[in-house]
Every structure is written in structure tokens, then in C-alpha cells.
Amino acid sequence: MTFEILPIEGLPLFEEGDDLTSIFLDHLHRSNLELLDGDILAIAQKVISKVEGRLIDLTRVEPSAAATELAEEVEKDPRIVELILQESTDIVRKKTGVLIVRHRLGHVGANAGIDQSNIEHGEEGSALLLPLDPDLSASKIQDEIAKKSGKQIGVLITDSANRPWRLGTVGIAIGASNMMVLDDKRGGFDLHGRELKITMINRADSIAAIATLAMGETDERIPMVIVRGAHVGYIQQSAGEINRPLEDDLFR
């Protein structure tokens, strides 16, 4: 299997209400690039959040008593802590400078995925929240691209995340459409005929990691990447299926 990674350079800075699909397809046309059936379009979460109006002016955030108390404990801005609590269902771990929570979407990470880098800031700062429903966002974009271009592709929404016991961020999938997310190999056999009992390949996170590496994490301005050669069929799974069920979480 041969993979191609095609970073989409020169895209504008997206703003709330932008027609992301039309801007992307017009840019491809002007750049003499084309989509092929079976491509996977990876899109950075920041773009989706900006277009969907998830940029929050911190002057409009009123911290609750709980947020103020927690902010003092972990030494964070109480307005950011208030947003973290609103976006989360559970506090997993906390210490000075660190707040690990279970996001309402189900995954566990720092600060509920709330970001303040590479966004426009007002006088007292802003914060960017994750999309309300990244799987739905991916599905809408995939459907719009199919209607406007006639191409059947997969769409992946990526975010950067840290992992327990490992240093550094990697790309993960938080939204997906029209692609295989988990490749369940259980019931198959290895080279020596031994039955596979637990093997599930996380294709979505693997592709997201490659795409995020191509996008960069600082000032590269590459929010979209076409991944060619990784598609194995149009299977409608969601990125939400990646999250380990709570009853199987041995680290709670």
C-alpha cells in the first residue's frame, strides 16, 4: 500500500460562518489540485471550531464559585476553568497548572481541549472550544464535497492531544465520516495461526497523527491535508466509537 500526504497550503484564515467546503474546493481548483475517490481529507479542529462560532470572548465568561475555587487550586484563569467545567463531565486529575478532565464527547485530556493558541484575541483574551459534534461536522462536510465535486471521500477532524506516560502531543481523531475508524481484527489469525483476541487497529488516530505532522503545530498555516491511499472502503463509523467505555477504564 502506497500513501501520499498532500498538505493544502495557502488557505485563508477561516472565520465564523465561512463556507468551508466551497473555499476548500475553489482553492484546490486554483492550485491545480484535485480530489480522487477514496481520498481522506483531514481538517484541523481549529478550523471547524472557528467556522462554527466556538470562539469565546473571555469578557463574556462569568466564573462560578466552583470554578473560582478550582482555579485558585490549580492556578489557572477562573474564566478558562469555568469553560473547562462547562465542557466536561468529570475531573480526572488535577494539580498546580494541570487539569485533566473527561470531555462531554467522551475523551480524556487536558483543559477539555480548550485552546488559546493561533486564534484572534480580544482585549482580555479569547478561548476556542471544541466543536459541539465533530462527527456531525465531518459528515456535513463529506456530504457537501460529494454534492459539489462528485467525489466520494472520507473526512477526518483532527486535534492534538497528550497521552499518559508519553511526552509530546500527537494528532488524534475527534470526528470522522465515510471511512473506517476502527479495524477490528478479533477472530482473525496471526502469521502462526494464533487467533487474535484483542487486536483492533485505530485507523482514524493513525491517519490523524500523520496528517497533524504535515499540518504542523505552530505557524505553518496548513489546516487541511489530503491523505491518499489509506482508504479501505466507505464504512460509516464515528470517532466517538474510539473512546474506551467507562466500565473498561482501569485508571479511574
Side-chain angles (χ1 to χ4, degrees):
M1 182 179 290
T2 301
F3 292 92
E4 283 188 84
I5 311 298
L6 306 174
I8 309 302
E9 300 182 86
L11 285 163
L13 293 176
F14 287 88
E15 298 179 356
E16 182 176 356
D18 280 349
D19 185 341
L20 185 151
T21 301
S22 293
I23 291 173
F24 165 68
L25 291 175
D26 289 346
H27 183 79
L28 279 191
H29 179 71
R30 293 195 305 271
S31 303
N32 293 319
L33 297 172
E34 65 173 329
L35 283 174
L36 301 180
D37 288 330
D39 284 347
I40 293 175
L41 174 62
I43 309 172
Q45 161 268 322
K46 277 190 176 71
V47 169
I48 305 298
S49 292
K50 286 181 179 180
V51 168
E52 294 183 354
R54 299 289 282 162
L55 185 65
I56 306 298
D57 183 346
L58 291 181
T59 61
R60 303 166 75 177
V61 178
E62 185 67 34
S64 63
T68 300
E69 181 180 351
L70 181 57
E72 290 179 359
E73 182 179 351
V74 298
E75 297 182 5
K76 286 183 174 291
D77 186 329
R79 300 169 301 177
I80 296 294
V81 173
E82 175 61 32
L83 292 174
I84 292 171
L85 293 178
Q86 291 179 12
E87 289 287 289
S88 306
T89 60
D90 187 30
I91 297 175
V92 178
R93 292 289 186 272
K94 58 182 177 177
K95 72 172 190 176
T96 301
V98 178
L99 195 52
I100 306 297
V101 298
R102 188 178 302 279
H103 193 273
R104 56 178 174 75
L105 294 173
H107 51 262
V108 175
N111 303 325
I114 294 172
D115 201 350
Q116 292 186 281
S117 65
N118 282 327
I119 60 173
E120 300 80 8
H121 286 278
E123 290 184 4
E124 295 191 37
S126 303
L128 193 66
L129 312 186
L130 295 186
L132 287 173
D133 189 340
D135 280 318
L136 180 60
S137 301
S139 180
K140 288 181 177 179
I141 292 169
Q142 183 270 320
D143 185 58
E144 289 172 2
I145 287 176
K147 290 178 180 177
K148 293 179 179 180
S149 72
K151 301 299 181 181
Q152 288 296 326
I153 68 168
V155 173
L156 192 64
I157 297 175
T158 71
D159 195 12
S160 298
N162 286 288
R163 303 150 297 159
W165 307 293
R166 307 284 286 185
L167 293 175
T169 62
V170 296
I172 63 169
I174 64 169
S177 178
N178 210 33
M179 58 173 288
M180 180 182 287
V181 171
L182 293 172
D183 189 359
D184 192 347
K185 297 296 187 181
R186 292 174 297 182
F189 298 89
D190 68 10
L191 288 172
H192 303 283
R194 183 180 178 86
E195 184 177 355
L196 302 174
K197 301 290 187 180
I198 60 173
T199 302
M200 296 180 71
I201 299 172
N202 190 327
R203 293 182 60 84
D205 277 354
S206 298
I207 295 169
I210 296 172
T212 301
L213 194 63
M215 291 174 183
E217 297 277 8
T218 53
D219 61 354
E220 291 84 356
R221 285 189 61 176
I222 303 176
M224 299 185 189
V225 170
I226 295 171
V227 181
R228 186 162 292 165
H231 211 290
V232 294
Y234 303 108
I235 301 171
Q236 195 57 284
Q237 295 179 331
S238 70
E241 297 177 45
I242 295 172
N243 298 319
R244 189 178 298 278
L246 287 177
E247 59 268 23
D248 294 337
D249 186 350
L250 301 181
F251 300 94
R252 285 201 299 162

